[in-house]
Amino acid sequence: MFETTIAGSLPKPSWLAEPNKLWAPWRQEGVDLAAAKLDATLLVIKEQEDAGIDVVTDGEQSRQHFVHGFLERVEGIDFEHKVEMGIRNDRYKAMVPTVVGPLRLKGRVHETEARAARAHTRHKLKITLPGPMTIVDTVADRFYGDKVAMAHAFAEVLNEEARALAADGVDVVQFDEPAFNVYTEEVVEWGIKTLHRAAEGLTCTTAVHICYGYGIQANLDWKATLGGEWRQYEAIFPALAASRIDQISLECRNSRVPPDLMGLLKGKTLMVGVIDVASNEIETAEDVAKTIETAMRFVPADRILPCTNCGMAPMPREVAVAKLQALGAGARLARERFS
């Protein structure tokens, strides 16, 4: 009961990448960079295990960004001539690559880090991939001319890598879809269909992480415009409840998501966000246990996975480690209190 996990990313050590930044520049090159990525992967696995995290991830240590880290291994994408584009409905600007031809994998994407992680932990292992809708929202298009067609093409290549990850021994493949709470009508119309294609044929556990974004200023400013209740999920949770995806995430700690919306996900396992990634304040074990207790009003205890609200990549590393420890301690307290 209350098996813990994290949304995916963790801060990179300062010897691997510039700290406290999204899209942080690497500090190594060539073979030194490849070795440093694996060293960092094993380090964050150990930190998660020490903190009492049950389903660990590679911390996305081998990726500069959760979307572009995947796209670097996809043919048909031009990284040499990036363009500035508004993403997440123009919430903020980013320099993005352009789709210029048919999409194909150049080879495996996350094989090296997935196999290294699998070889060095007996815990359940989760690897994250960007979801089709979020990829479409994070690239420019000069080839398909239709975002739905392009999303289906990305779903095909994602499925190829997802199946290979399952064969590597990964227990959970999670698709990250922060775009889901921005384009709610499109989620129902075609977003879940492309998500299903990306997950097609997987025999491991499948998950989708949807969120209000990293704790960066653009997201904080956007959240301030959403009023006293964040009800975006209300439009998509019924469709997700009817989907074939096993696990679904939502923010709870310090969020304005009405907790009763969890009741719309009947039958699903919920990754309940008990750790706020938009604040450097360290939660206590009691804070975590109370958030779990709130979730229990709407979700059976055996379907609750205490989790982080979102990825922690831009956070100070010492803060993220302390928050992992609070997550583990709070889940242990909840087990003692509610079992």
Side-chain angles (χ1 to χ4, degrees), residues 153-187:
F154 274 118
E156 295 278 344
V157 295
L158 284 165
N159 183 251
E160 185 178 341
E161 176 65 12
R163 286 175 182 249
L165 287 169
D168 291 336
V170 170
D171 301 285
V172 183
V173 172
Q174 174 180 296
F175 298 94
D176 293 335
E177 285 284 23
F180 267 28
N181 70 359
V182 182
Y183 309 106
T184 53
E185 291 184 7
E186 289 92 337
V187 171

Side-chain angles (χ1 to χ4, degrees), residues 30-329:
V31 295
D32 290 335
L33 176 58
K37 287 178 177 180
L38 284 184
D39 289 346
T41 299
L42 301 188
L43 175 61
V44 298
I45 287 173
K46 182 66 164 61
E47 288 174 337
Q48 289 171 81
E49 291 178 344
D50 288 351
I53 306 304
D54 301 297
V55 183
V56 302
T57 83
D58 65 333
E60 299 179 9
Q61 299 295 292
S62 295
R63 316 175 210 182
Q64 195 171 50
H65 183 263
F66 80 103
V67 175
H68 292 182
F70 180 81
L71 299 185
E72 289 170 357
R73 299 291 297 162
V74 180
E75 289 182 3
I77 299 178
D78 179 8
F79 271 90
E80 296 298 319
H81 306 92
K82 289 184 178 179
V83 299
E84 186 177 65
M85 188 178 86
I87 64 176
R88 311 300 179 264
N89 200 22
D90 286 328
R91 193 186 311 165
Y92 58 93
K93 304 287 186 181
M95 298 301 295
V96 302
T98 302
V99 176
V100 295
L103 300 171
R104 301 184 189 88
L105 285 187
K106 298 175 183 178
R108 286 298 309 281
V109 183
H110 299 306
E111 176 183 24
T112 301
E113 57 266 39
R115 291 193 175 187
R118 181 71 285 162
H120 286 85
T121 184
R122 295 183 179 179
H123 285 50
K124 291 181 182 177
L125 175 65
K126 174 166 72 176
I127 298 292
T128 63
L129 295 171
M133 177 177 279
T134 295
I135 295 179
V136 167
D137 194 49
T138 321
V139 295
D141 177 27
R142 287 205 339 248
F143 180 76
Y144 285 94
D146 181 306
K147 64 182 179 182
V148 180
M150 186 164 68
H152 279 283
F154 274 118
E156 295 278 344
V157 295
L158 284 165
N159 183 251
E160 185 178 341
E161 176 65 12
R163 286 175 182 249
L165 287 169
D168 291 336
V170 170
D171 301 285
V172 183
V173 172
Q174 174 180 296
F175 298 94
D176 293 335
E177 285 284 23
F180 267 28
N181 70 359
V182 182
Y183 309 106
T184 53
E185 291 184 7
E186 289 92 337
V187 171
V188 177
E189 290 170 2
W190 58 267
I192 290 177
K193 290 178 183 176
T194 59
L195 183 61
H196 280 164
R197 179 63 190 95
E200 188 174 311
L202 290 180
T203 55
C204 64
T205 298
T206 58
V208 60
H209 172 64
I210 53 178
C211 67
Y212 285 80
Y214 286 120
I216 59 175
Q217 193 59 49
N219 288 332
L220 298 178
D221 292 343
W222 174 62
K223 291 176 187 179
T225 71
L226 298 179
E229 287 191 339
W230 302 346
R231 304 198 70 91
Q232 285 75 13
Y233 291 150
E234 193 168 25
I236 64 173
F237 273 4
L240 283 168
S243 76
R244 298 194 295 270
I245 303 301
D246 301 314
Q247 299 177 357
I248 299 166
S249 71
L250 79 163
E251 301 94 325
C252 290
R253 174 68 179 169
N254 289 345
S255 86
R256 297 183 189 140
V257 177
D260 62 288
L261 294 187
M262 287 185 266
L264 297 176
L265 290 168
K266 188 175 181 179
K268 298 298 182 184
T269 295
L270 267 63
M271 292 180 281
V272 174
V274 298
I275 297 294
D276 183 5
V277 302
S279 167
N280 288 347
E281 180 181 349
I282 309 302
E283 289 80 1
T284 66
E286 183 64 31
D287 292 332
V288 170
K290 284 183 177 179
T291 306
I292 293 171
E293 184 177 14
T294 298
M296 289 173 63
R297 293 163 47 199
F298 308 99
V299 185
D302 61 355
R303 288 188 174 272
I304 293 173
L305 298 183
C307 187
T308 55
N309 278 354
C310 185
M312 303 168 85
M315 230 177 205
R317 191 157 172 267
E318 65 277 10
V319 172
V321 170
K323 283 177 174 280
L324 290 180
Q325 293 167 346
L327 172 55

